[in-house]
Amino acid sequence: MTQASPAFPLAFNARLTIGTRGSPLALWQAHAVRDALAQTLGRTPESIVVEVIRTSGDRIQDRALAEAGGKGLFTKEIEEALTDGRIDLAVHSAKDVATFLPEGLHLAGYLPRADVRDALIQREGAGLADLPQGARIGTASLRREAQLRRLRPDLDVALLRGNVQTRLAKVRGGEFHGTLLALAGLDRLGIANEASAVLDTANFLPAVGQGAVAIETRIADEATNAAIVAIACRATGIALAAERAFLAALDGSCRTPIAGLATVESGEVRLKGLVLSPDGRDAAEADVRAPVADAARLGAACGTELRQSAPARALGL
């Protein structure tokens, strides 16, 4: 084994353990973080352990997450292992991370963000306009459902849970005319060619955090935090600071259709936010900018503005 880089504490000569879900996409993300850390620390990838932890979200497949307790179900058991010291860091899809984290934990950084857009997978045709009247579309996302209904009120949107392969199989098998998945996930699994169409963010905004890989650590673990800072993407961190503050101001969860996308360019962060009623008929949206240093403040202000202006039905009131 190569020696740890002198830029990092000797604690990294000890075993380092990453916690993750066990789906193919989750494992791709964990291995990407492992490889980046190994290079930074001067270690072999094999010297960093990837531990699979089954979450409540993985076990519950027969109902929407909103009915079962929210998207934190995909991180709960992993965060418990992190708090207890059984793992040193957790790797998540950023869009699955709850708005508020357990005490003592934080998001230490993100890998460079991939394509944020949603992909439509359908049995026939190449876009929403090609779906037949009343086509059955499967999704577990209230955000996707609301935006689909906003664009195509005639569609029959039904619950479809499971990993990427499960959802694709149910479309191929004829249970659904189509489904929506994150293009980033398809890309990372090497199956982007499954996409029939890629939906433009101009009229179909992604989930907060979509396309980003989040790394969660204990706040007090200085050695691990230092290593994460060394591999983290600054622009992604700025964008997610705005998006997550936006979500927090709305008290966002899986129970409200919320979409948001922040981009960083020329020293500015631009945030587009959207809140919808479940049927997509009512909506409030914003498009705001600020210097990158004010990313979190921008997100919080945008979320507060939409919370005050959104129709009551859009906030589930």
Side-chain angles (χ1 to χ4, degrees):
M1 182 189 303
T2 55
Q3 292 297 310
S5 165
F8 294 98
L10 292 177
F12 280 115
N13 285 321
R15 169 174 159 144
L16 192 63
T17 303
I18 297 172
T20 178
R21 295 170 62 204
S23 71
L25 180 55
L27 289 172
W28 184 97
Q29 295 175 162
H31 290 153
V33 172
R34 178 201 64 182
D35 293 348
L37 280 173
Q39 183 175 7
T40 295
L41 299 172
R43 298 174 61 162
T44 62
E46 295 74 21
S47 70
I48 300 174
V49 177
V50 173
E51 181 174 328
V52 172
I53 299 172
R54 194 163 187 233
T55 69
S56 301
D58 296 314
R59 289 191 291 271
I60 299 168
Q61 295 293 322
D62 60 345
R63 59 193 188 276
L65 288 180
E67 299 173 11
K71 62 184 177 181
L73 293 172
F74 282 126
T75 61
K76 179 176 179 289
E77 287 80 3
I78 301 175
E79 289 175 330
E80 289 172 351
L82 184 58
T83 298
D84 294 346
R86 286 176 279 145
I87 60 174
D88 301 292
L89 62 147
V91 175
H92 313 289
S93 293
K95 67 184 180 66
D96 290 338
V97 179
T99 311
F100 303 101
L101 303 181
E103 186 177 354
L105 303 183
H106 72 153
L107 295 180
Y110 305 86
L111 295 186
R113 197 174 200 173
D115 199 313
V116 302
R117 294 174 294 174
D118 282 301
L120 174 65
I121 295 92
Q122 58 198 104
R123 292 206 309 269
E124 298 176 1
L128 283 173
D130 293 339
L131 290 168
Q133 188 83 7
R136 190 168 190 245
I137 304 300
T139 182
S141 163
L142 287 183
R143 172 191 63 85
R144 287 174 175 146
E145 179 178 353
Q147 290 190 96
L148 280 172
R149 293 187 186 281
R150 188 186 197 193
L151 296 171
R152 287 285 306 270
D154 62 289
L155 295 177
D156 174 19
V157 185
L159 178 66
L160 175 54
R161 291 285 313 280
N163 63 29
V164 170
Q165 289 77 8
T166 298
R167 299 185 202 193
L168 292 176
K170 291 196 174 184
V171 173
R172 294 191 200 103
E175 290 185 53
F176 297 88
H177 286 90
T179 188
L180 289 169
L181 294 167
L183 181 59
L186 297 177
D187 224 3
R188 287 165 175 157
L189 293 172
I191 53 173
N193 62 314
E194 294 279 358
S196 306
V198 177
L199 305 184
D200 195 318
T201 59
N203 51 33
F204 209 96
L205 275 180
V208 163
Q210 187 156 306
V213 176
I215 307 167
E216 187 177 16
T217 64
R218 294 182 292 275
I219 295 171
D221 187 349
E222 295 180 4
T224 302
N225 287 323
I228 301 308
V229 167
I231 67 170
C233 174
R234 180 175 178 269
T236 302
I238 292 167
L240 267 291
E243 291 178 23
R244 287 182 60 79
F246 166 71
L247 197 63
L250 285 162
D251 195 19
S253 68
C254 288
R255 296 174 181 81
T256 306
I258 297 171
L261 175 62
T263 52
V264 179
E265 186 176 353
S266 303
E268 276 195 332
V269 58
R270 177 186 182 186
L271 174 64
K272 297 175 71 175
L274 173 67
V275 183
L276 305 105
S277 60
D279 62 9
R281 292 179 182 174
D282 296 322
E285 49 196 316
D287 187 345
V288 292
R289 299 173 185 263
V292 294
D294 295 326
R297 282 192 288 272
L298 176 73
C302 183
T304 300
E305 177 189 333
L306 289 194
R307 187 170 183 82
Q308 293 171 346
S309 63
R313 285 199 325 123
L315 294 171
L317 302 176

